[in-house]
């Protein structure tokens, strides 16, 4: 018996003498049946251990992957929230500009005030909304990712 398992070879020394060796081969196989059975059992045990180890590695890999996804979702969510806050700060700055311009325009004469109010309206439309809640509603929490 070799360390790699049970192995035997039978060769014809002359062409056609193999059928005469069959009874000796059968006898040897019967003699070694218990050894072969033990080797098969050992192989099955090793295969089962390898399967269990593979499954354990898969469980660990899945947990690590889940943790990587969770960390990425938190990072992405935080970055998106900071972007929304920065946009809000910019929107507040713009809104303050428009409020100041409207206040100053209100002190002008009717014709000039009308022209400036129309320009302010067009400028607001060009800039877009400054509604912080609209942006905040679009934010995704880590659990929503």
């Amino acid at each position: 018996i070799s360390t790699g398992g049970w192995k035997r070879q039978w060769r014809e020394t002359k062409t056609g003498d193999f059928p005469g060796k069959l009874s000796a081969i059968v006898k040897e196989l019967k003699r070694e049946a218990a050894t072969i059975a033990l080797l098969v059992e050992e192989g099955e045990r090793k295969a089962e251990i390898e399967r269990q180890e593979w499954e354990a590695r898969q469980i660990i890999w899945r947990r690590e992957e889940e943790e990587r996804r969770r960390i990425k979702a938190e990072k992405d969510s935080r970055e998106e929230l900071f972007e929304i806050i920065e946009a809000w700060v910019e929107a507040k700055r713009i809104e303050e500009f428009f409020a100041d311009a409207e206040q100053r325009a209100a002190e002008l004469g009717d014709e000039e005030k009308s022209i400036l109010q129309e320009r302010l309206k067009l400028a607001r439309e060009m800039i877009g909304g400054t509604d912080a809640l609209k942006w905040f509603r679009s934010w995704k929490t880590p659990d929503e990712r």
Side-chain angles (χ1 to χ4, degrees):
I1 298 173
S2 70
T3 57
W6 191 85
K7 180 179 174 182
R8 295 289 189 271
Q9 290 183 352
W10 296 275
R11 295 191 179 149
E12 288 183 319
T13 50
K14 289 190 247 172
T15 303
D17 71 347
F18 191 74
K21 295 181 177 187
L22 286 177
S23 64
I25 292 171
V26 169
K27 284 180 188 175
E28 185 174 357
L29 288 173
K30 284 181 181 178
R31 249 190 348 265
E32 297 291 332
T35 302
I36 293 170
L38 287 174
L39 290 171
V40 168
E41 286 178 24
E42 182 183 333
E44 288 172 348
R45 275 193 307 274
K46 285 181 181 177
E48 178 60 19
I49 289 169
E50 287 176 9
R51 184 191 64 77
Q52 289 174 358
E53 289 172 350
W54 181 84
E55 286 179 0
R57 285 191 304 273
Q58 289 298 307
I59 289 169
I60 291 168
W61 178 83
R62 280 192 290 275
R63 285 180 187 157
E64 289 171 349
E65 189 62 26
E66 234 175 72
E67 181 65 7
R68 277 191 291 276
R69 279 192 216 111
R70 184 191 64 74
I71 290 169
K72 183 179 182 336
E74 277 186 17
K75 177 183 172 279
D76 291 350
S77 182
R78 186 177 300 110
E79 286 175 2
E80 183 184 12
L81 187 55
F82 281 129
E83 288 171 7
I84 288 170
I85 291 168
E86 287 174 22
W88 175 79
V89 167
E90 181 68 12
K92 290 299 285 179
R93 190 177 66 78
I94 292 168
E95 191 57 42
E96 286 176 14
F97 168 79
F98 286 137
D100 183 60
E102 284 174 345
Q103 182 182 9
R104 291 174 190 267
E107 298 170 359
L108 300 174
D110 288 340
E111 188 178 327
E112 194 176 3
K113 178 167 79 173
S114 178
I115 291 169
L116 286 175
Q117 285 175 335
E118 183 60 28
R119 289 179 68 84
L120 283 168
K121 179 183 168 209
L122 291 171
R124 281 182 187 271
E125 289 172 6
M126 182 179 283
I127 294 295
T130 56
D131 182 2
L133 284 180
K134 180 183 86 175
W135 295 329
F136 191 65
R137 282 184 189 107
S138 70
W139 172 64
K140 291 181 182 171
T141 67
D143 292 338
E144 294 172 330
R145 295 179 181 275

